[in-house]
Amino acid sequence: MNENVFDDPRITAVGLLVEAHAGLTARFTAQYEEHDLSAVEFEVLMRLARSPGNQLRMTDLAAQTSLSTSGVTRVVDRMERDGLLRRRACPSDRRSSYAVVTPAGMQRLDETLPGHLRIIEQWFTGQLEPETLAAMLDGLRRVRDAVHPGATAGSTDQAPTDEPASAC
Amino acid sequence: MNENVFDDPRITAVGLLVEAHAGLTARFTAQYEEHDLSAVEFEVLMRLARSPGNQLRMTDLAAQTSLSTSGVTRVVDRMERDGLLRRRACPSDRRSSYAVVTPAGMQRLDETLPGHLRIIEQWFTGQLEPETLAAMLDGLRRVRDAVHPGATAGSTDQAPTDEPASAC
DNA sequence: TGGCTATAGTTGCTCAGGCAGTCGTTGGGC
DNA sequence: GCCCAACGACTGCCTGAGCAACTATAGCCA
């Protein structure tokens, strides 16, 4: 193994992706904390808020986030305790339950989002000319489609409409 | 707050970055595990292996990774126990100690790297035409430079030569 | 030289999250 | 209608990581 594998363009490419991601994540996290939210809590609020009725079954929520089902149980525990969410029994399947965003939860999200968008603009999209940004997003989209976040469970793109909302 | 903030191009852009990163990370992690390494352990090995003498002071290692100093203490504990690393006293400063890669550690890295490069090629760089890749890396580099991984502590790009190696 | 402050590393405590096992529920096959 | 496999949520246990406190050393300044 050669010493200069470290200068391999593939290593460099991954390094850039990882560092850009880490840097942005750090900025996001700092801003979430101003509104007493963690990154997962923000993700959960976003996922629920964009779902019909501001609710999702626990399992579906897990599938749409970076969490396992037990992880979801616990975040929802905390967020329910803090009044951002509540559980609602599923009338047609007594095994299932919904996580529903409360008005307080929606308000918290509304307070957090403008700053979040501002940070994205400031440190990400606003750093690049429109055509560079477009090229980059094109590349990211193709990588994303290749690695398919279906398994890893994605984050914040528009929901793929080809997945049934598993009506309940 | 409007319903279709969720279709805001800024949200979409971040979503793509996060999902591409998450997908790649998952592939990497799976491959590391084939060689009994975690993601942090691989990162530590890479950082040390590219440093002069295959060693770094604990603090410097923390600064170059995604870990706090106490985190570094514990990873090094585990890796020392597994024979991948060893601690070495710093002759000129008795507070400091080096983490040094052992031959076994170098061998483990050598076994892991080819597969790692293959995965990068397969799911990332190989997915894009050279000019798309170049545009994307250009964008990532500018975002990275903006958010400056100095605070968040970066990952796998070549070490910025403007930082003193804090000779010991 | 003596003392004071800053620094390097480690450790106790805490918390988030995953895995695997459990319990209740469902739906299909007979 | 009964049984059994599959499924949804939850819980016990464990691991990894951060913060803050602590110890030892270093370097500075009077």
Side-chain angles (χ1 to χ4, degrees):
Chain A
M1 184 66 50
N2 198 326
E3 273 299 314
N4 42 19
V5 235
F6 305 124
D7 298 333
D8 187 291
R10 291 166 289 186
I11 297 286
T12 307
V14 172
L16 284 173
L17 179 66
V18 169
E19 289 179 11
H21 175 267
L24 283 174
T25 299
R27 307 270 170 182
F28 293 156
T29 302
Q31 192 252 337
Y32 299 150
E33 275 168 11
E34 291 173 16
H35 299 273
D36 281 305
L37 287 176
S38 71
V40 275
E41 287 166 349
F42 180 80
E43 193 187 356
V44 164
L45 279 182
M46 284 288 281
R47 285 290 176 185
L48 293 177
R50 66 163 43 168
S51 301
N54 297 332
Q55 60 184 338
L56 232 33
R57 297 186 321 150
M58 303 292 279
T59 305
D60 296 332
L61 185 54
Q64 288 190 22
T65 58
S66 47
L67 292 171
S68 66
T69 61
S70 78
V72 164
T73 295
R74 289 179 171 120
V75 198
V76 172
D77 280 349
R78 295 195 293 271
M79 296 178 75
E80 192 169 31
R81 170 172 51 74
D82 296 346
L84 303 173
L85 257 51
R86 65 184 180 83
R87 283 176 166 87
R88 193 173 73 84
C90 178
S92 62
D93 185 343
R94 289 165 53 192
R95 292 171 304 179
S96 298
S97 58
Y98 285 113
V100 195
V101 188
T102 61
M106 289 304 287
Q107 187 188 338
R108 186 78 69 91
L109 185 57
D110 287 352
E111 291 164 1
T112 311
L113 259 171
H116 182 64
L117 292 173
R118 223 176 305 123
I119 289 180
I120 300 176
E121 181 115 19
Q122 181 177 2
W123 300 103
F124 184 15
T125 58
Q127 289 289 325
L128 311 167
E129 311 82 58
E131 56 277 12
T132 313
L133 177 60
M136 176 169 160
L137 294 182
D138 178 48
L140 284 174
R141 193 182 315 270
R142 287 171 43 204
V143 172
R144 195 271 312 258
D145 290 344
V147 292
H148 205 209
T152 325
S155 268
T156 328
D157 204 8
Q158 52 265 58
T161 43
D162 53 331
E163 276 182 21
S166 76
C168 185
Chain B
M1 184 67 49
N2 199 325
E3 273 300 314
N4 42 18
V5 233
F6 306 124
D7 298 333
D8 187 290
R10 291 166 288 185
I11 297 286
T12 307
V14 172
L16 284 173
L17 179 66
V18 169
E19 289 179 9
H21 176 267
L24 283 173
T25 299
R27 309 269 170 182
F28 293 155
T29 302
Q31 192 251 339
Y32 298 149
E33 275 169 11
E34 292 174 17
H35 299 273
D36 281 306
L37 287 176
S38 70
V40 276
E41 287 166 349
F42 180 80
E43 193 188 356
V44 164
L45 279 181
M46 285 287 282
R47 285 290 175 185
L48 293 177
R50 68 163 41 168
S51 301
N54 297 333
Q55 61 184 337
L56 233 32
R57 296 185 322 149
M58 303 292 279
T59 303
D60 296 331
L61 186 53
Q64 288 191 22
T65 57
S66 47
L67 293 171
S68 66
T69 62
S70 77
V72 164
T73 294
R74 289 176 171 121
V75 198
V76 172
D77 281 349
R78 296 194 294 271
M79 296 177 76
E80 193 169 30
R81 169 172 51 73
D82 296 346
L84 303 173
L85 258 50
R86 65 183 181 82
R87 281 176 167 87
R88 193 174 74 83
C90 178
S92 62
D93 185 342
R94 289 165 55 193
R95 292 170 305 178
S96 297
S97 58
Y98 285 113
V100 195
V101 188
T102 61
M106 288 304 286
Q107 187 186 338
R108 187 78 67 89
L109 185 57
D110 287 352
E111 291 163 2
T112 310
L113 260 171
H116 182 64
L117 292 174
R118 223 177 305 122
I119 289 180
I120 300 176
E121 181 114 19
Q122 182 177 1
W123 299 104
F124 184 16
T125 58
Q127 290 289 325
L128 311 167
E129 310 84 57
E131 56 278 12
T132 312
L133 178 60
M136 177 170 160
L137 293 182
D138 177 46
L140 284 174
R141 193 181 316 270
R142 287 176 36 209
V143 172
R144 194 271 313 257
D145 289 345
V147 291
H148 207 209
T152 325
S155 267
T156 330
D157 202 10
Q158 52 265 58
T161 42
D162 53 330
E163 278 182 20
S166 77
C168 185

